[in-house]
C-alpha cells in the first residue's frame, strides 16, 4: 500500500513538472510590446503570458528568439534561411526588460475555459522542447506576432473569428512597414531598395497581423462562438516621451539632396564648358551596377519571397557596368548613345510604375533620381555632338 502511495506521489510530481496542471485561477494573456528605438525593435513584439497564482506560475513564451552568435547567422539571414525559436522566461523579467527599454506594454487576458488554457500551456510546453523549438522565420507570414494567432487557432480548432475593427482601412504591406519605420530613415530606404513590388499588394485584414499592434487590435474584436476572445485589457506600462530627435541633418533626404545638388552642379558646369566629368560618370555607373547585382541576388539567389519583382532594377541597372570601359574613353563607341537613351526610358518607366501603384520607391531618393536622369540626358546630348564633330 505504501508503495502504491509513493508511486502515486511520484506520478503527481511528474505531472506537475511536465504537464503543469493549471488551477481555476489560471490566466492566459497576450502581451503586446510597443516599438523600440532600433530598427529590429521598430515593429514591436508579442508574448504569451501564463499566470497561475495557485501554482506560483508566471511565465512568458515568445517566438522572437534568434541565434545572433551562431556561425553563419548573417549568411542565413541574407539568404532568407534564418531559424527563429520559441523562448521561455519569467514574465516579470520580460516585463522589467521592456520597461527598462521604455516600451509600452499592454496585456489582453483571454476569455478561455480551464480546458482551453491547459491546452494552450501544453502546446507551448511541447513547442518549447529542443526538437520542436525552431521555425523558419518569415517577416510577413511567420513571426513573433503571427505565432500568437496561429497557436491559438491551432489549439482552438480554428474557431476564432477575427472581425474588422471599426473604421479599419486595409493597407499595402509597404505602407504598414512605413507606419513603423518612417520613409525618411535609413532603415526605410534599405527596405524600399531590397523588397520588390510583392509588398505593394494590399494585405488582407488577417495579414495585417504580422505587426504586433494589429494582434492587439484584432484580438480586441475577435470572438470564439458567442464569446469575446479578450476578457479584459489593460496598459501595464506606458512609454514615457523621449526628447525629439535632431538627426534630420543626417537623414536620407538631406544626404541625397546634397549629393544630387553636387551632381546637378557638375552637370551644369560640364554643359557650360562642353565637357564631362569622367569620375562622376564612372561612380554613378559603378554604384548602379553594384546595387543592381545586389537586387538580382536578393531576388534569385535567396529565399526572400518579398524581394521578387523588384523594379528598382529600372534605375539600378546591372548592365551599366558595360559602359564603364566606354565612359573612360575620349571617343566611345556609337552604341553608347542608344544605351543611354535606354536608361532614360527605364527611368521614365520607373516613374510610371510608381504613379500607377505597381511599386513604390524610396521617397528620399527622389532628388537623386532626378539628378541621375538629367545626367543621362546631358550625356546623350554631349556624345551626339562629339560623334558629329
Amino acid at each position: 500500500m505504501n508503495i502504491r502511495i509513493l508511486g502515486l506521489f511520484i506520478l503527481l510530481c511528474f505531472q506537475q513538472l511536465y504537464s503543469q496542471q493549471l488551477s481555476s485561477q489560471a490566466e492566459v494573456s497576450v502581451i503586446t510590446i510597443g516599438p523600440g528605438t532600433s530598427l529590429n525593435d521598430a515593429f514591436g513584439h508579442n508574448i504569451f503570458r501564463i499566470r497561475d497564482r495557485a501554482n506560483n506560475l508566471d511565465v512568458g513564451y515568445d517566438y522572437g528568439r534568434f541565434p545572433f552568435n551562431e556561425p553563419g547567422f548573417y549568411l542565413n539571414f541574407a539568404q532568407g534561411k534564418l531559424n527563429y525559436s520559441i523562448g521561455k522566461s519569467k514574465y516579470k523579467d520580460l516585463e522589467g526588460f521592456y520597461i527598462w527599454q521604455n516600451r509600452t506594454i499592454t496585456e489582453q487576458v483571454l476569455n478561455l475555459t480551464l480546458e482551453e488554457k491547459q491546452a494552450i500551456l501544453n502546446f507551448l510546453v511541447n513547442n518549447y522542447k529542443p526538437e520542436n523549438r525552431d521555425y523558419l522565420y518569415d517577416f510577413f507570414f511567420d513571426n513573433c506576432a503571427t505565432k500568437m494567432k496561429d497557436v491559438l487557432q491551432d489549439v482552438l480548432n480554428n474557431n476564432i473569428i477575427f472581425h474588422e475593427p471599426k473604421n479599419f482601412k486595409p493597407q499595402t504591406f509597404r505602407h504598414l512597414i512605413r507606419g513603423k519605420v518612417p520613409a525618411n530613415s535609413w532603415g526605410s530606404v534599405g527596405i524600399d531598395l531590397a523588397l520588390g513590388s510583392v509588398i505593394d499588394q494590399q494585405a488582407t485584414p488577417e495579414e495585417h497581423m504580422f505587426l504586433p499592434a494589429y494582434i492587439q487590435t484584432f484580438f480586441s474584436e475577435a470572438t470564439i462562438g458567442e464569446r469575446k476572445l479578450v476578457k479584459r485589457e489593460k496598459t501595464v506600462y506606458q512609454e514615457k516621451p523621449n526628447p525629439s530627435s535632431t538627426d534630420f541633418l543626417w537623414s536620407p533626404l538631406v544626404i541625397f539632396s546634397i549629393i544630387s545638388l553636387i551632381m546637378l552642379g557638375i552637370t551644369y558646369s560640364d554643359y557650360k564648358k562642353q565637357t564631362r566629368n569622367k569620375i562622376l560618370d564612372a561612380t554613378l555607373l559603378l554604384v548602379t551596377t553594384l546595387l543592381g547585382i545586389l537586387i538580382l541576388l536578393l531576388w534569385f539567389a535567396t529565399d526572400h519571397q518579398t524581394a521578387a519583382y523588384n523594379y528598382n532594377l529600372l534605375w539600378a541597372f546591372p548592365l551599366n557596368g558595360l559602359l564603364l570601359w566606354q565612359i573612360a574613353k575620349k571617343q566611345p563607341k556609337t552604341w553608347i548613345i542608344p544605351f543611354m537613351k535606354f536608361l532614360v526610358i527605364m527611368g521614365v518607366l520607373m516613374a510610371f510604375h510608381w504613379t500607377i501603384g505597381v511599386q513604390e520607391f524610396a521617397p528620399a531618393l527622389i532628388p537623386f533620381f532626378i539628378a541621375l536622369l538629367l545626367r543621362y540626358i546631358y550625356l546623350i546630348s554631349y556624345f551626339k555632338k562629339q560623334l558629329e564633330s
Side-chain angles (χ1 to χ4, degrees):
M1 185 70 174
N2 290 337
I3 294 176
R4 291 180 65 184
I5 293 174
L6 178 62
L8 180 61
F9 175 76
I10 292 172
L11 178 61
L12 289 173
C13 288
F14 269 84
Q15 284 184 333
Q16 179 69 20
L17 181 62
Y18 292 105
S19 299
Q20 295 179 280
Q21 298 299 306
L22 297 175
S23 75
S24 58
Q25 298 181 38
E27 292 183 334
V28 176
S29 305
V30 170
I31 307 295
T32 300
I33 310 296
T37 55
S38 61
L39 180 61
N40 61 304
D41 293 333
F43 303 98
H45 191 43
N46 288 118
I47 301 167
F48 278 118
R49 181 186 187 183
I50 312 294
R51 188 182 188 188
D52 189 352
R53 291 186 180 89
N55 287 315
N56 195 28
L57 177 68
D58 194 1
V59 295
Y61 290 90
D62 72 281
Y63 286 84
R65 312 296 174 94
F66 56 90
F68 185 79
N69 295 320
E70 184 179 277
F73 171 82
Y74 291 105
L75 179 61
N76 290 334
F77 178 79
Q79 293 178 331
K81 298 177 180 178
L82 185 62
N83 282 327
Y84 270 47
S85 61
I86 182 176
K88 176 185 175 184
S89 302
K90 292 180 180 179
Y91 173 72
K92 286 301 179 183
D93 290 343
L94 292 170
E95 184 179 288
F97 174 73
Y98 291 115
I99 290 175
W100 173 75
Q101 285 195 330
N102 190 30
R103 297 167 66 178
T104 297
I105 304 172
T106 305
E107 180 174 18
Q108 293 172 302
V109 179
L110 303 184
N111 186 21
L112 304 172
T113 66
L114 178 58
E115 182 182 13
E116 290 168 340
K117 297 172 189 175
Q118 186 67 57
I120 290 170
L121 176 59
N122 292 346
F123 182 97
L124 294 171
V125 168
N126 182 64
N127 210 181
Y128 186 66
K129 292 178 180 178
E131 64 270 23
N132 301 331
R133 197 170 293 176
D134 296 340
Y135 71 98
L136 186 61
Y137 177 82
D138 185 291
F139 177 74
F140 291 102
F141 303 110
D142 207 355
N143 64 20
C144 72
T146 63
K147 284 293 185 183
M148 301 292 113
K149 166 179 65 71
D150 295 341
V151 167
L152 289 178
Q153 286 287 42
D154 191 311
V155 173
L156 301 177
N157 300 313
N158 292 310
N159 286 325
I160 302 175
I161 300 173
F162 294 104
H163 306 280
E164 290 187 15
K166 188 178 181 181
N167 300 323
F168 173 74
K169 294 180 180 179
Q171 300 180 62
T172 66
F173 290 101
R174 196 181 302 274
H175 283 178
L176 288 168
I177 292 174
R178 287 181 181 171
K180 300 299 180 181
V181 184
N184 189 26
S185 66
W186 291 105
S188 181
V189 170
I191 290 169
D192 285 336
L193 285 175
L195 303 186
S197 59
V198 174
I199 69 167
D200 289 285
Q201 300 173 12
Q202 183 172 286
T204 66
E206 192 164 328
E207 285 173 343
H208 282 62
M209 283 188 273
F210 81 90
L211 290 175
Y214 277 97
I215 287 290
Q216 179 184 344
T217 300
F218 275 87
F219 275 34
S220 295
E221 304 295 329
T223 56
I224 311 172
E226 297 298 320
R227 60 184 155 123
K228 298 278 287 183
L229 175 63
V230 174
K231 180 164 59 176
R232 66 178 183 274
E233 182 173 329
K234 68 175 181 177
T235 300
V236 177
Y237 175 80
Q238 182 63 50
E239 173 190 3
K240 292 180 173 60
N242 287 315
S244 57
S245 175
T246 56
D247 292 336
F248 178 74
L249 291 178
W250 301 104
S251 68
L253 181 60
V254 172
I255 297 300
F256 283 111
S257 293
I258 293 171
I259 292 172
S260 303
L261 286 173
I262 293 171
M263 290 170 58
L264 291 172
I266 293 174
T267 300
Y268 180 74
S269 176
D270 286 349
Y271 169 75
K272 297 294 286 185
K273 299 175 183 177
Q274 280 304 296
T275 185
R276 64 185 176 92
N277 190 305
K278 293 180 182 179
I279 294 176
L280 174 61
D281 296 333
T283 301
L284 291 175
L285 291 173
L286 181 61
V287 169
T288 52
T289 298
L290 294 177
L291 280 175
I293 291 171
L294 177 61
I295 291 167
L296 280 178
L297 288 174
L298 286 172
W299 183 346
F300 293 104
T302 74
D303 292 339
H304 292 292
Q305 298 179 16
T306 51
Y309 306 103
N310 191 340
Y311 293 103
N312 276 295
L313 289 170
L314 292 171
W315 69 270
F317 191 53
L319 296 182
N320 279 358
L322 296 175
L323 291 180
L324 275 170
W325 62 282
Q326 283 293 320
I327 213 79
K329 294 181 179 180
K330 186 176 181 180
Q331 196 73 20
K333 300 289 186 181
T334 56
W335 58 262
I336 198 171
I337 295 176
F339 198 115
M340 300 299 297
K341 288 181 178 179
F342 172 73
L343 294 180
V344 171
I345 293 171
M346 296 272 275
V348 173
L349 282 174
M350 187 195 78
F352 179 71
H353 280 68
W354 198 340
T355 302
I356 66 174
V358 172
Q359 179 172 335
E360 291 192 29
F361 302 89
L365 289 177
I366 290 176
F368 175 76
F369 292 149
I370 294 171
L372 184 65
L373 193 62
L374 290 175
R375 184 67 188 178
Y376 287 159
I377 292 172
Y378 169 72
L379 288 176
I380 292 170
S381 172
Y382 173 82
F383 286 130
K384 275 185 176 180
K385 290 179 181 178
Q386 287 292 305
L387 293 170
E388 289 171 358
S389 60

